Amino acid sequence: MRELVRSARTTEEAIEAALEELGLSKDEVEVEVLEEPNKGLFGFLGVKDATVKVKECANPEKKAVKILNDIFSCMKLEVDITISEIDGRTLINLNGPDLGILIGRRGDTLDAIQYYINLAANKNAEKRVRFIIDVEGYRRRREETLSNLAHRLADKAKRKGKDVVLEPMNPHERRVIHTALQNNKDVFTYSEGEEPYRKIIIAPKA
Amino acid sequence: MNELVELLVKSLVDKPDQVSVQAVEGDRSTVLELRVAPEDMGKVIGKQGRIARAIRTIVKAAASKEGKKVVVEIM
């Protein structure tokens, strides 16, 4: 994190000098006054400059949006970014034409972007923000699909009296399935294998 | 594609001025050779290569939009 100590005749002037040097605006920094200015006696005895410490205070949300915008302009994509809060996390939804490439196979690319943004935007941040990145509500739709799939496969497991093994999924997707079948009377679920090939098994209750 | 890799990496490292990306054109794909300050190595690779994998995934997606094959190599 960048910080600067500057002195000037008044506190305001010192802050301004530091801001200019850092290239930041006032709401992007934290200011600590190290020394109050003293006009002195008759303007010359004991005259003291004001000294301030200006610290860049990283705002992860602003940073995330800036980095995303930079990435998309680099990829020549037109993306509209909207931000909202859910359960103490920050949801960044991306909208625009042809954003399928940002999702990738089973959300691979989307997960990579999300992981990357969580690192890059929180770098040097005092308070970390957890970001969820979504494209056109893909994650919500995928959750519905997974939960429907879970119920269908639970029926199958029950009908055939056999375990049903699902394809490998990431922790978030597995959680959706476990949650969907948590209160199911006929089956129970568990995971097997090592990341990234960990998969769920739906087993009929004896 | 160089710019994208540079952009991605510069936000992760402590010494962005020491990030360099060099494209080496192969017959079937382009190799982007990424160099960072030695103390920043861990920040672009990550635990079990997780950060490196995320960078590669994003770059691959961007390249596929332009119908290219790109490999990011950390030197």
Side-chain angles (χ1 to χ4, degrees):
Chain A
M1 196 167 326
R2 296 183 300 164
E3 56 178 53
L4 262 185
V5 175
R6 278 289 165 274
S7 300
R9 215 163 39 84
T10 66
T11 327
E12 288 72 36
E13 279 175 37
I15 295 173
E16 234 155 78
L19 287 179
E20 196 170 323
E21 200 158 332
L22 288 169
L24 298 169
S25 65
K26 206 161 180 181
D27 55 335
E28 290 172 301
V29 296
E30 220 168 77
V31 178
E32 191 187 328
V33 179
L34 298 177
E35 216 155 348
E36 293 285 354
N38 196 332
K39 286 215 180 78
L41 201 58
F42 312 126
F44 54 89
L45 271 177
V47 178
K48 230 170 41 191
D49 275 354
T51 305
V52 297
K53 184 153 101 179
V54 173
K55 201 158 117 193
E56 176 179 15
C57 98
N59 176 334
E61 295 192 359
K62 271 191 197 163
K63 225 161 131 189
V65 172
K66 187 187 176 297
I67 296 171
L68 284 170
N69 274 324
D70 287 347
I71 293 175
F72 298 145
S73 77
C74 207
M75 290 170 81
K76 297 183 186 68
L77 286 173
E78 268 178 57
V79 184
D80 188 44
I81 299 177
T82 54
I83 293 192
S84 52
E85 292 275 328
I86 43 162
D87 312 329
R89 296 164 189 213
T90 300
L91 172 72
I92 301 182
N93 202 1
L94 311 173
N95 287 291
D98 302 322
L99 295 190
I101 63 154
L102 293 184
I103 298 175
R105 191 176 162 273
R106 295 265 154 70
D108 278 356
T109 309
L110 194 54
D111 288 338
I113 295 173
Q114 179 171 305
Y115 180 66
Y116 170 79
I117 288 295
N118 272 293
L119 283 174
N122 282 314
K123 186 177 163 56
N124 296 333
E126 269 172 25
K127 210 168 141 252
R128 291 179 59 90
V129 174
R130 287 188 67 179
F131 292 102
I132 299 173
I133 300 198
D134 203 352
V135 170
E136 311 249 1
Y138 168 82
R139 288 199 192 277
R140 207 194 49 241
R141 290 200 310 272
R142 176 84 179 140
E143 267 176 36
E144 278 170 21
T145 311
L146 284 173
S147 142
N148 289 340
L149 175 83
H151 291 299
R152 259 201 337 270
L153 292 180
D155 283 345
K156 186 175 158 194
K158 180 193 165 198
R159 220 173 43 241
K160 299 205 167 172
K162 271 192 204 159
D163 290 3
V164 175
V165 182
L166 277 69
E167 61 182 290
M169 287 173 192
N170 65 35
H172 173 72
E173 298 196 337
R174 290 200 308 273
R175 191 173 158 267
V176 174
I177 303 233
H178 284 308
T179 313
L181 298 180
Q182 200 170 32
N183 298 319
N184 192 301
K185 295 185 305 292
D186 308 313
V187 297
F188 64 98
T189 58
Y190 60 97
S191 299
E192 215 177 63
E194 293 297 317
E195 299 284 2
Y197 303 109
R198 210 164 154 75
K199 56 197 174 187
I200 290 191
I201 292 156
I202 303 176
K205 279 184 187 161
Chain B
M1 220 42 71
N2 297 30
E3 303 85 51
L4 179 65
V5 178
E6 234 170 78
L7 185 79
L8 289 171
V9 173
K10 278 186 172 169
S11 305
L12 293 176
V13 299
D14 288 327
K15 298 196 166 151
D17 49 320
Q18 288 190 38
V19 173
S20 83
V21 180
Q22 209 176 358
V24 179
E25 300 282 340
D27 29 341
R28 258 192 262 142
S29 60
T30 306
V31 178
L32 299 179
E33 297 181 350
L34 167 67
R35 285 179 179 79
V36 298
E39 57 268 42
D40 279 332
M41 214 55 175
K43 296 200 177 65
V44 293
I45 296 175
K47 226 186 247 167
Q48 300 185 344
R50 213 174 148 195
I51 302 173
R53 202 183 318 132
I55 293 172
R56 290 191 175 115
T57 305
I58 298 171
V59 173
K60 216 187 281 171
S64 76
K65 182 172 179 262
E66 293 171 18
K68 282 187 203 147
K69 252 193 147 174
V70 171
V71 184
V72 180
E73 231 21 289
I74 300 167
M75 309 300 279

